Amino acid sequence: MSRLCLLISICLVLHLSWACDDNEEELLAGGREDPEDYYAYAYGFTPETWRALYQQPTPRARVPENAEKDHRQPEGRFALGGLGANLINTGFFNSRFTPSNTWKPFQNLASRIPISYNPNADSPFDTFESCMSPNGDAGICAPGSVCSLFGGRPGGSCILGKVCCINTINKCGGTVTLNNTYWQSPTFPINVPTTCSLSVRTDTQLTEQLKKPICQIRLDFITFTTAQPTAGTCTDTFKVGQTNSKVPTICGDNGGQHMYLDIPSSAVTPSNVQLMFTFSEETAVRSWNIKIALLPCGAFYLAPVDCLQYFTAATGRVRSFNWLDTNSTTIRQLNNQNYNICFRTELIGGLTASELCLSVCSVTHGDAFSITTPISGAIADATAAVTTAQANLATAQAVQAAAAAAFLAANGGNTATQNQIQTLTNANVALAAAQAALTTAQTALASAVAAAGTGLSAVGTSTNATGVITATCLYDSLLIPGARDSTNVEADRYCGDALNPAFVPVGTSVQVCTPLRPFKMTYRTDSTETAIAAGTNILPARADTNNTGFCLNFQEK
């Protein structure tokens, strides 16, 4: 009897289901959504994006019972864990029941059937690891359809059937949200004057940045060529805005250089970092290829705070922006530079490096170290002599003018006394002598400058020669705290045309080493390459001549 009752109950359930379908066939035909579209809109995607992200072959993987699980899974169909009941109730078992039919016979089934998921089948963006294509381009591992969706191109293979997706933008006015994206100069000619900018957006609400918040952006200038500066000031400019870093304006030749940009954690404060070129009317070659890497918070490879450049090898080469080994008759050193260059402390032979050593690069055409034109003692003496001669000449001119006025007042000189005539004669002689003395002093100064050449080192902030205090490495300098040569002669501010801590300027560069950790240098330049006149609280400085900046080899020991 009980079996008969059970059979009748099942028949009634099925009959009611069929009846609902028959009576509402037209409604179902016109109003039922495609299940794929349903889930796409439910979790904030378009159907096209949903299919590209989800419909990928995913290998099965065994999850250890005691494996640590990250409970902060991104929302969406990619993470089924806590959503098992909802998915069953809304889709898998009830998709054939319309919203008007509130009878859902399987609504309690989810609580009785365990739902497990493969952690490797989470959001495809969770496995957007960096990769390298055979030709050296950096990319991200992603399913092929996802790569196409974001406008990338496959540049190699990754595990699990994914491709090494190379993302490139070659236009002005775009927005970057993917790691390892290349911003390249437009393929069409750039009309000048104009600007070309790009925004780098970091926000954990973005699907492609769900996995980890971003705390730094690294820019690698694969190639970078714009117009050269005029007297050290950029006419073409590259600027970075809306970061926590102090980023100088740069221009010229910067291929191979890099920058680290500090930003707030994207999990707390979204950022829109602005990269902007501004081009002047000057005719010049302008092209660039900049790799933009988004660095997650807590990564071991983050640069220390306030380090615009960060080197993570025991040996290498560090250059100022726009330095190039080339013959140049103009100033390549950029004005208004003020940034830190940091070096990670490495293990040398299993021991922590105890010092950082720096020496000038070997060059073929250029100058490896040229920061401010130094003033030698002879030049300072000659400069003081010129200053004195100029003052004496001014006095003689005033005396001569007074004597001449008195002579002319005596009826045009016709009634001048003998004393007035003698006074004027003496004034004329003194004026001629003062003019000759100035000429001699200027000649001596030119000879001192020629004798000194442009190859002398300089240290410190000022030089006192013959009572004249003149700036040395006060306005432009490379600060290397604790640096000393092999004889323990020490200095921290370096400039001139040779790297040497000697107090008396010399023309030879030597290796200097610093034991102060963390290893760091600071490069600073002022806003002009012209001479600076003495004034209240202002030390005078001679004009700079064809400064190029610096190129140094570094080695941790």
Side-chain angles (χ1 to χ4, degrees):
M1 185 66 179
S2 58
R3 293 182 179 179
L4 178 60
C5 292
L6 177 60
L7 181 60
I8 293 173
S9 299
I10 293 175
C11 292
L12 288 175
V13 170
L14 294 177
H15 178 73
L16 179 59
S17 174
W18 294 332
C20 291
D21 288 347
D22 292 339
N23 293 336
E24 298 181 6
E25 190 67 33
E26 183 178 354
L27 176 62
L28 291 176
R32 185 188 303 165
E33 288 185 291
D34 187 305
E36 292 295 324
D37 294 354
Y38 173 85
Y39 290 116
Y41 291 122
Y43 296 110
F45 297 91
T46 64
E48 293 76 14
T49 305
W50 175 265
R51 293 187 182 95
L53 297 178
Y54 184 69
Q55 295 178 357
Q56 301 296 324
T58 304
R60 304 287 296 178
R62 181 179 298 275
V63 182
E65 293 182 0
N66 297 324
E68 181 180 355
K69 296 182 179 180
D70 184 356
H71 296 287
R72 296 176 294 111
Q73 296 293 338
E75 294 185 3
R77 188 177 174 184
F78 313 119
L80 300 180
L83 299 178
N86 289 337
L87 290 178
I88 291 175
N89 291 337
T90 59
F92 292 139
F93 294 95
N94 295 313
S95 61
R96 69 191 306 274
F97 293 91
T98 64
S100 59
N101 187 351
T102 59
W103 181 56
K104 301 181 183 297
F106 302 104
Q107 61 183 352
N108 295 321
L109 185 60
S111 62
R112 301 179 182 179
I113 299 178
I115 298 296
S116 62
Y117 70 99
N118 179 358
N120 295 321
D122 289 347
S123 168
F125 297 104
D126 279 1
T127 56
F128 270 16
E129 302 298 336
S130 296
C131 58
M132 190 70 67
S133 69
N135 64 358
D137 289 336
I140 55 175
C141 290
S145 56
V146 174
C147 182
S148 300
L149 183 69
F150 283 93
R153 59 177 175 82
S157 300
C158 292
I159 61 173
L160 305 179
K162 298 180 180 180
V163 299
C164 186
C165 185
I166 311 301
N167 304 286
T168 302
I169 294 178
N170 56 3
K171 64 179 181 179
C172 304
T175 299
V176 169
T177 60
L178 285 175
N179 184 30
N180 289 345
T181 295
Y182 290 85
W183 183 28
Q184 299 177 350
S185 47
T187 56
F188 52 83
I190 299 175
N191 297 321
V192 293
T194 189
T195 61
C196 184
S197 63
L198 186 77
S199 176
V200 182
R201 184 183 175 193
T202 61
D203 188 346
T204 52
Q205 297 302 311
L206 295 172
T207 306
E208 56 268 38
Q209 295 180 20
L210 280 173
K211 185 176 183 182
K212 295 179 181 178
I214 305 301
C215 279
Q216 274 186 352
I217 297 171
R218 172 168 168 145
L219 305 180
D220 281 281
F221 302 117
I222 311 302
T223 60
F224 184 117
T225 302
T226 66
Q228 285 296 309
T230 300
T233 299
C234 291
T235 52
D236 281 3
T237 63
F238 175 77
K239 297 181 179 181
V240 178
Q242 300 187 33
T243 78
N244 294 339
S245 300
K246 296 184 296 183
V247 183
T249 299
I250 65 171
C251 61
D253 297 304
N254 293 295
Q257 297 277 19
H258 72 270
M259 290 181 177
Y260 282 86
L261 311 177
D262 294 323
I263 59 173
S265 170
S266 59
V268 178
T269 305
S271 297
N272 280 287
V273 177
Q274 301 299 313
L275 312 180
M276 177 177 290
F277 284 97
T278 300
F279 302 120
S280 65
E281 295 182 353
E282 179 180 352
T283 300
V285 175
R286 298 176 174 94
S287 65
W288 64 89
N289 184 9
I290 305 173
K291 189 183 83 169
I292 303 167
L294 308 181
L295 309 185
C297 303
F300 70 90
Y301 45 82
L302 293 180
V305 175
D306 202 26
C307 290
L308 186 71
Q309 293 192 310
Y310 184 46
F311 293 87
T312 58
T315 61
R317 172 175 290 190
V318 54
R319 301 172 290 135
S320 57
F321 291 111
N322 198 39
W323 184 91
L324 195 66
D325 184 7
T326 183
N327 290 321
S328 178
T329 57
T330 60
I331 295 173
R332 296 183 68 92
Q333 176 176 278
L334 303 181
N335 293 339
N336 298 310
Q337 304 292 288
N338 185 7
Y339 60 92
N340 294 323
I341 305 166
C342 304
F343 304 83
R344 188 177 67 188
T345 303
E346 302 296 328
L347 292 177
I348 308 299
L351 300 176
T352 302
S354 60
E355 62 179 355
L356 173 71
C357 296
L358 300 148
S359 57
V360 297
C361 302
S362 298
V363 295
T364 303
H365 305 289
D367 193 339
F369 196 89
S370 177
I371 306 172
T372 293
T373 303
I375 296 180
S376 66
I379 292 175
D381 291 341
T383 300
V386 169
T387 301
T388 300
Q390 289 173 331
N392 292 339
L393 177 60
T395 300
Q397 289 173 332
V399 171
Q400 192 275 341
F407 178 81
L408 293 175
N411 195 21
N414 293 327
T415 59
T417 64
Q418 186 63 35
N419 184 53
Q420 289 174 324
I421 294 173
Q422 188 62 46
T423 299
L424 178 58
T425 300
N426 292 341
N428 287 334
V429 172
L431 178 60
Q435 289 174 329
L438 177 59
T439 299
T440 300
Q442 290 172 332
T443 301
L445 176 59
S447 298
V449 171
T454 58
L456 294 180
S457 65
V459 295
T461 59
S462 61
T463 298
N464 188 335
T466 319
V468 178
I469 300 177
T470 306
T472 50
C473 304
L474 180 61
Y475 301 116
D476 299 344
S477 67
L478 181 63
L479 179 65
I480 313 174
R484 62 197 69 178
D485 65 9
S486 59
T487 63
N488 285 327
V489 176
E490 182 176 340
D492 56 2
R493 285 177 180 260
Y494 293 84
C495 65
D497 294 297
L499 179 69
N500 198 307
F503 179 74
V504 177
V506 296
T508 305
S509 291
V510 298
Q511 184 184 73
V512 296
C513 300
T514 174
L516 301 183
R517 296 181 300 189
F519 303 129
K520 182 174 72 172
M521 305 190 304
T522 301
Y523 182 48
R524 295 174 180 167
T525 63
D526 64 359
S527 60
T528 182
E529 296 292 282
T530 60
I532 297 176
T536 303
N537 297 324
I538 297 177
L539 292 180
R542 62 180 295 198
D544 293 326
T545 304
N546 298 340
N547 288 341
T548 60
F550 66 87
C551 175
L552 301 176
N553 294 318
F554 68 85
Q555 180 180 9
E556 295 186 14
K557 297 181 178 180

Coordinates of all heavy atoms in Angstrom, one line a residue, residues 201-246:
R201 N 45.5 52.6 -14.1 CA 44.5 52.5 -13.1 C 44.7 51.2 -12.2 O 44.8 50.1 -12.7 CB 43.1 52.4 -13.7 CG 41.9 52.4 -12.7 CD 40.6 52.3 -13.4 NE 39.5 52.2 -12.4 CZ 38.3 51.8 -12.7 NH1 38.0 51.5 -14.0 NH2 37.3 51.7 -11.8
T202 N 44.7 51.4 -10.9 CA 44.8 50.3 -10.0 C 43.6 50.3 -9.0 O 43.3 51.4 -8.4 CB 46.1 50.4 -9.1 OG1 46.1 51.6 -8.4 CG2 47.3 50.4 -10.0
D203 N 42.9 49.2 -9.0 CA 41.7 49.1 -8.2 C 41.3 47.7 -8.0 O 41.1 47.0 -9.0 CB 40.5 49.9 -8.9 CG 39.3 50.0 -8.0 OD1 39.2 49.3 -7.0 OD2 38.4 50.8 -8.4
T204 N 41.2 47.2 -6.8 CA 40.9 45.8 -6.6 C 39.4 45.4 -7.0 O 39.1 44.3 -7.0 CB 41.0 45.4 -5.1 OG1 40.3 46.4 -4.3 CG2 42.5 45.4 -4.7
Q205 N 38.6 46.4 -7.3 CA 37.3 46.2 -7.9 C 37.3 45.7 -9.3 O 36.3 45.2 -9.9 CB 36.4 47.4 -7.7 CG 36.2 47.8 -6.3 CD 35.5 46.7 -5.4 OE1 34.5 46.1 -5.9 NE2 36.1 46.4 -4.3
L206 N 38.5 46.0 -10.0 CA 38.6 45.5 -11.3 C 38.8 44.0 -11.4 O 39.6 43.5 -10.6 CB 39.8 46.2 -12.0 CG 39.7 47.7 -12.2 CD1 41.0 48.3 -12.7 CD2 38.6 48.1 -13.2
T207 N 38.1 43.3 -12.3 CA 38.2 41.9 -12.3 C 39.7 41.4 -12.5 O 40.1 40.4 -11.9 CB 37.4 41.4 -13.5 OG1 36.0 41.9 -13.4 CG2 37.3 39.9 -13.5
E208 N 40.4 42.1 -13.3 CA 41.8 41.7 -13.6 C 42.8 42.0 -12.5 O 43.9 41.6 -12.5 CB 42.3 42.3 -14.9 CG 42.3 43.8 -14.9 CD 41.0 44.3 -15.5 OE1 39.9 43.7 -15.3 OE2 41.0 45.3 -16.3
Q209 N 42.3 42.7 -11.4 CA 43.1 42.9 -10.3 C 42.6 42.4 -9.0 O 42.9 42.9 -7.9 CB 43.4 44.5 -10.1 CG 44.1 45.1 -11.3 CD 44.4 46.6 -11.1 OE1 44.3 47.1 -10.1 NE2 44.6 47.2 -12.3
L210 N 41.7 41.4 -9.1 CA 41.0 40.8 -7.9 C 42.0 40.2 -7.0 O 41.8 40.2 -5.7 CB 40.0 39.8 -8.4 CG 38.7 40.3 -8.9 CD1 37.9 39.1 -9.4 CD2 37.9 41.0 -7.8
K211 N 43.0 39.5 -7.5 CA 43.8 38.6 -6.6 C 44.6 39.4 -5.5 O 44.5 39.0 -4.4 CB 44.8 37.8 -7.5 CG 45.6 36.8 -6.7 CD 46.4 35.9 -7.6 CE 47.1 34.8 -6.8 NZ 48.0 34.0 -7.6
K212 N 45.3 40.4 -5.9 CA 46.2 41.1 -4.9 C 46.1 42.6 -5.2 O 46.1 43.1 -6.3 CB 47.6 40.7 -5.1 CG 47.9 39.2 -4.7 CD 49.4 38.9 -4.9 CE 49.6 37.4 -4.6 NZ 51.1 37.0 -4.9
P213 N 46.1 43.4 -4.1 CA 46.1 44.9 -4.2 C 47.5 45.3 -4.7 O 48.5 44.6 -4.5 CB 45.9 45.4 -2.8 CG 46.2 44.2 -1.9 CD 45.9 43.0 -2.7
I214 N 47.6 46.4 -5.4 CA 48.8 46.9 -6.0 C 49.3 48.1 -5.1 O 48.6 49.0 -4.7 CB 48.5 47.4 -7.4 CG1 47.9 46.3 -8.3 CG2 49.8 47.9 -8.1 CD1 48.7 45.1 -8.4
C215 N 50.6 48.1 -4.9 CA 51.3 49.1 -4.1 C 52.3 49.9 -4.8 O 52.8 51.0 -4.3 CB 51.9 48.5 -2.8 SG 50.7 48.2 -1.5
Q216 N 52.8 49.4 -5.9 CA 53.9 50.1 -6.7 C 53.7 49.8 -8.2 O 53.1 48.8 -8.6 CB 55.3 49.6 -6.3 CG 55.9 50.4 -5.1 CD 57.3 50.0 -4.9 OE1 57.9 49.0 -5.5 NE2 58.0 50.7 -4.0
I217 N 54.2 50.8 -9.0 CA 54.2 50.6 -10.4 C 55.6 50.8 -10.9 O 56.3 51.7 -10.4 CB 53.3 51.6 -11.1 CG1 51.8 51.5 -10.7 CG2 53.5 51.6 -12.6 CD1 50.9 52.6 -11.2
R218 N 56.1 49.9 -11.7 CA 57.5 50.0 -12.2 C 57.4 50.3 -13.7 O 56.7 49.6 -14.5 CB 58.3 48.7 -12.0 CG 59.6 48.8 -12.8 CD 60.6 47.7 -12.4 NE 61.7 47.7 -13.3 CZ 63.0 47.4 -13.0 NH1 63.3 47.1 -11.8 NH2 63.9 47.4 -13.9
L219 N 58.1 51.3 -14.1 CA 58.2 51.7 -15.5 C 59.6 51.3 -16.0 O 60.6 51.7 -15.4 CB 58.0 53.2 -15.7 CG 56.7 53.8 -15.2 CD1 56.7 55.3 -15.4 CD2 55.5 53.2 -15.7
D220 N 59.6 50.5 -17.1 CA 60.9 50.2 -17.7 C 60.9 50.9 -19.1 O 60.0 50.5 -19.9 CB 61.0 48.7 -17.9 CG 61.5 48.0 -16.6 OD1 62.7 48.1 -16.3 OD2 60.6 47.5 -15.8
F221 N 61.8 51.7 -19.3 CA 61.9 52.4 -20.6 C 62.8 51.6 -21.5 O 64.0 51.7 -21.6 CB 62.6 53.8 -20.4 CG 61.9 54.7 -19.4 CD1 62.4 55.1 -18.3 CD2 60.5 55.1 -19.7 CE1 61.8 55.9 -17.4 CE2 59.8 55.9 -18.8 CZ 60.5 56.3 -17.6
I222 N 62.1 50.7 -22.3 CA 62.7 49.8 -23.2 C 63.4 50.7 -24.3 O 64.6 50.5 -24.6 CB 61.7 48.8 -23.9 CG1 60.9 48.1 -22.8 CG2 62.5 47.8 -24.7 CD1 61.6 47.4 -21.8
T223 N 62.7 51.6 -24.8 CA 63.3 52.7 -25.6 C 62.6 54.0 -25.2 O 61.5 54.0 -24.7 CB 63.0 52.5 -27.1 OG1 61.6 52.4 -27.4 CG2 63.6 51.1 -27.6
F224 N 63.4 55.1 -25.4 CA 62.8 56.4 -25.0 C 63.7 57.4 -25.6 O 64.9 57.6 -25.3 CB 62.9 56.5 -23.4 CG 62.3 57.8 -22.9 CD1 61.2 57.8 -22.1 CD2 62.8 59.1 -23.2 CE1 60.6 58.9 -21.5 CE2 62.3 60.2 -22.7 CZ 61.2 60.2 -21.8
T225 N 63.2 58.1 -26.6 CA 63.9 59.2 -27.3 C 63.0 60.4 -27.6 O 61.9 60.2 -28.2 CB 64.4 58.7 -28.7 OG1 65.3 57.6 -28.4 CG2 65.2 59.8 -29.4
T226 N 63.4 61.5 -27.1 CA 62.7 62.8 -27.3 C 63.7 63.9 -27.6 O 64.9 63.6 -27.6 CB 61.8 63.2 -26.2 OG1 62.6 63.5 -25.0 CG2 60.8 62.1 -25.8
A227 N 63.3 65.1 -27.8 CA 64.3 66.2 -28.0 C 65.2 66.4 -26.9 O 64.9 66.2 -25.7 CB 63.5 67.5 -28.3
Q228 N 66.4 66.8 -27.2 CA 67.4 67.1 -26.1 C 67.1 68.4 -25.4 O 66.4 69.2 -25.9 CB 68.8 67.2 -26.7 CG 69.4 65.9 -27.1 CD 69.7 65.0 -25.9 OE1 70.3 65.4 -24.9 NE2 69.2 63.7 -26.0
P229 N 67.5 68.5 -24.1 CA 67.2 69.7 -23.4 C 68.0 70.9 -24.0 O 69.0 70.8 -24.7 CB 67.7 69.4 -22.0 CG 68.8 68.4 -22.2 CD 68.4 67.6 -23.4
T230 N 67.5 72.1 -23.6 CA 68.1 73.4 -24.0 C 68.7 73.9 -22.7 O 68.0 74.3 -21.8 CB 67.1 74.4 -24.6 OG1 66.5 73.8 -25.8 CG2 67.8 75.7 -24.9
A231 N 70.1 74.0 -22.6 CA 70.8 74.4 -21.4 C 70.3 73.7 -20.2 O 70.2 74.2 -19.1 CB 70.6 75.9 -21.3
G232 N 70.0 72.4 -20.4 CA 69.6 71.5 -19.3 C 68.1 71.5 -19.0 O 67.7 70.6 -18.2
T233 N 67.4 72.3 -19.6 CA 65.9 72.4 -19.4 C 65.2 71.7 -20.5 O 65.4 72.0 -21.7 CB 65.4 73.8 -19.2 OG1 66.1 74.4 -18.1 CG2 63.9 73.9 -19.0
C234 N 64.3 70.7 -20.1 CA 63.6 69.9 -21.1 C 62.6 70.8 -21.9 O 61.8 71.5 -21.2 CB 62.9 68.8 -20.5 SG 64.0 67.5 -19.9
T235 N 62.6 70.8 -23.2 CA 61.5 71.4 -24.0 C 60.4 70.3 -24.3 O 59.3 70.6 -24.2 CB 62.1 72.0 -25.3 OG1 62.9 71.0 -25.9 CG2 63.0 73.2 -24.9
D236 N 60.9 69.1 -24.7 CA 60.0 68.0 -24.7 C 60.0 67.4 -23.2 O 61.1 67.4 -22.6 CB 60.5 66.8 -25.6 CG 60.1 67.1 -27.1 OD1 59.6 68.2 -27.3 OD2 60.5 66.3 -27.9
T237 N 58.9 67.1 -22.7 CA 58.9 66.6 -21.3 C 58.2 65.3 -21.1 O 57.2 65.0 -21.8 CB 58.3 67.7 -20.3 OG1 56.9 67.8 -20.7 CG2 59.0 69.0 -20.4
F238 N 58.6 64.5 -20.2 CA 57.9 63.3 -19.7 C 57.7 63.5 -18.2 O 58.6 63.6 -17.5 CB 58.6 62.0 -20.0 CG 57.9 60.8 -19.4 CD1 56.8 60.2 -20.1 CD2 58.4 60.2 -18.2 CE1 56.2 59.1 -19.5 CE2 57.8 59.1 -17.7 CZ 56.7 58.6 -18.3
K239 N 56.4 63.5 -17.8 CA 56.1 63.7 -16.4 C 55.2 62.6 -15.9 O 54.4 62.0 -16.7 CB 55.4 65.1 -16.2 CG 56.2 66.3 -16.6 CD 55.5 67.6 -16.3 CE 56.4 68.8 -16.7 NZ 55.6 70.1 -16.4
V240 N 55.2 62.4 -14.6 CA 54.4 61.4 -13.9 C 53.6 62.1 -12.9 O 54.2 62.8 -12.1 CB 55.2 60.2 -13.3 CG1 54.3 59.3 -12.6 CG2 56.0 59.5 -14.4
G241 N 52.3 61.9 -12.9 CA 51.4 62.5 -11.9 C 50.6 61.6 -11.1 O 50.4 60.4 -11.4
Q242 N 50.1 62.0 -9.9 CA 49.2 61.3 -9.0 C 49.8 60.0 -8.5 O 49.3 59.0 -8.4 CB 47.9 61.0 -9.8 CG 47.1 62.2 -10.2 CD 45.8 61.9 -10.8 OE1 45.1 61.0 -10.4 NE2 45.3 62.7 -11.8
T243 N 51.1 60.2 -8.0 CA 51.7 59.1 -7.2 C 52.3 59.7 -5.9 O 52.3 61.0 -5.8 CB 52.9 58.5 -8.0 OG1 54.0 59.4 -7.9 CG2 52.5 58.2 -9.4
N244 N 52.8 58.9 -5.0 CA 53.4 59.4 -3.8 C 54.9 59.6 -4.0 O 55.5 60.0 -3.0 CB 53.2 58.3 -2.7 CG 51.7 58.2 -2.3 OD1 50.9 59.1 -2.5 ND2 51.4 57.1 -1.7
S245 N 55.4 59.4 -5.2 CA 56.8 59.5 -5.4 C 57.2 60.9 -5.9 O 56.3 61.5 -6.6 CB 57.3 58.4 -6.4 OG 57.1 57.1 -5.9
K246 N 58.4 61.3 -5.7 CA 58.9 62.6 -6.3 C 59.6 62.2 -7.6 O 60.6 61.6 -7.6 CB 59.9 63.3 -5.3 CG 59.3 63.7 -4.0 CD 60.3 64.5 -3.2 CE 61.5 63.6 -2.8 NZ 62.4 64.3 -1.9

